Amino acid sequence: MGILTWIVVGLIAGLLARAIIPAARGAGIIMTIVIGIVGAILGGYVGSLLGFGEISGFNIKTLLTATLGAVILLVLQRMFAKK
């Protein structure tokens, strides 16, 4: 995938993940994109380990995998965040 596709997938996955698991209030659009991109990488890695295939192109499977990875990332962030 190209960098623009990663940014778009990251933005959409980050927004969906933040709708499912609300993150810190001060996080802006850049942080949402970063969460989505890192979530896509995490989701793709876990998905490939479990035999779901790789992330390729802009499709629903990629978006769901990236969103799941971003949700996992937000849950981990909440677990380790200082309260």
Side-chain angles (χ1 to χ4, degrees):
M1 289 195 305
I3 189 71
L4 187 58
T5 306
W6 277 105
I7 291 172
V8 171
V9 168
L11 175 63
I12 295 169
L15 288 172
L16 289 172
R18 285 184 57 189
I20 295 168
I21 307 287
R25 296 281 179 204
I29 194 77
I30 300 297
M31 185 55 88
T32 300
I33 292 172
V34 169
I35 288 170
I37 291 172
V38 173
I41 294 167
L42 176 66
Y45 179 71
V46 170
S48 66
L49 287 177
L50 297 175
F52 296 132
E54 298 178 0
I55 292 179
S56 60
F58 186 74
N59 53 38
I60 192 71
K61 180 182 171 187
T62 299
L63 196 55
L64 290 175
T65 302
T67 303
L68 180 64
V71 166
I72 291 169
L73 185 67
L74 287 175
V75 167
L76 289 173
Q77 183 234 355
R78 279 191 167 202
M79 285 176 41
F80 294 109
K82 292 182 180 180
K83 297 197 179 209

